[in-house]
Amino acid sequence: MSTRPTDGQLARLRELGAATIYEAQGQRGSIDAVIKPIDPSMKLAGPALTVDAGPADNLMLHAALQHARPGDILVADARGFPDAGAWGDVLTAAAQKVGIAGLVIHGAVRDAEEIIDMKFPLFAQGLSIRGTTKAYKGSIGQPVDIAGTTVHNGDIIVGDRDGLVVVRADEVESALERAQAREDKETRFRERIAEGASTVELLGLTGTLSSYFPN
């Protein structure tokens, strides 16, 4: 079983941000931008508890609350079904009581205003006021497909207004090192730009562009 990341590691992942981590991983691990935070200020980072919720049903989401550990991010495959709100304010209250740190769902939710007021990080495909059944026998802890990206139980999910990225549980420290190196490089770029350098110079694009725009 993989070691869970420390609070310090998770805080640093949130600080560095999804875009920087994605680029630092060699443009690997992104989740499709169809899944967005219901409020742009929302950020999350934590180990995934994967849930096969199925379309228009939330039985497995209720069940997942019985299995989650504090700090977990529920990552639920609702098959991208857009017309049923599988999660709302009551489930949010129950999740916060357990200590769940957020939800990523390939599907719709409802009670968005209340959830935002509750400061629960939630990333979803959309909103729908329509209800769900509670009958689908899915799974908890098995790999799930989230809008084309496979997420394994225990993978680390990082999300903010830019999007979502998956970090393998055994690659957290190396992802942090690479992301910090990228952040340091971009800091130097901004300093050089302030001194008058162009992005063409900094990125070594002179040769490429000269072939497109010969003198």
Side-chain angles (χ1 to χ4, degrees):
M1 182 176 177
S2 298
T3 302
R4 288 167 71 89
T6 66
D7 290 344
Q9 288 175 320
L10 294 175
R12 190 66 185 130
L13 288 169
R14 277 192 297 272
E15 182 181 351
L16 287 164
T20 295
I21 295 164
Y22 163 71
E23 292 288 352
Q25 291 191 141
Q27 299 186 340
R28 177 170 56 91
S30 66
I31 291 178
D32 195 287
V34 69
I35 302 178
K36 306 176 185 299
I38 61 171
D39 182 87
S41 67
M42 290 178 167
K43 295 183 178 183
L44 54 73
L49 177 60
T50 54
V51 183
D52 172 14
D57 194 287
N58 68 1
L59 178 64
M60 290 296 102
L61 289 169
H62 287 275
L65 301 188
Q66 308 300 310
H67 294 265
R69 297 169 60 182
D72 281 349
I73 306 291
L74 298 187
V75 180
D77 179 12
R79 305 295 192 277
F81 190 79
D83 208 19
W87 185 278
D89 59 343
V90 172
L91 270 169
T92 297
Q96 288 183 316
K97 180 67 174 177
V98 173
I100 291 170
L103 169 70
V104 174
I105 182 168
H106 187 202
V109 300
R110 61 185 183 184
D111 302 327
E113 186 171 349
E114 291 86 347
I115 294 170
I116 292 168
D117 287 343
M118 296 166 81
K119 302 186 184 305
F120 182 75
L122 196 158
F123 288 63
Q125 181 177 332
L127 304 175
S128 175
I129 62 173
R130 292 183 174 176
T132 59
T133 57
K134 294 174 175 56
Y136 175 75
K137 184 181 178 181
S139 64
I140 298 169
Q142 298 301 309
V144 291
D145 183 294
I146 304 297
T149 297
T150 299
V151 179
H152 295 85
N153 202 58
D155 282 347
I156 309 306
I157 308 298
V158 182
D160 51 37
R161 69 177 65 198
D162 284 336
L164 291 157
V165 65
V166 182
V167 179
R168 284 183 45 171
D170 59 353
E171 294 182 358
V172 171
E173 192 57 40
S174 61
L176 279 169
E177 291 173 1
R178 292 193 298 267
Q180 185 61 59
R182 181 177 178 84
E183 182 74 5
D184 293 344
K185 179 180 179 181
E186 291 186 345
T187 296
R188 290 193 296 273
F189 276 8
R190 288 189 289 270
E191 291 170 350
R192 292 285 309 283
I193 288 168
E195 295 166 355
S198 71
T199 55
V200 171
E201 294 173 71
L202 293 172
L203 295 173
L205 300 176
T206 302
T208 300
L209 288 175
S210 65
S211 66
Y212 296 158
F213 303 102
N215 293 328

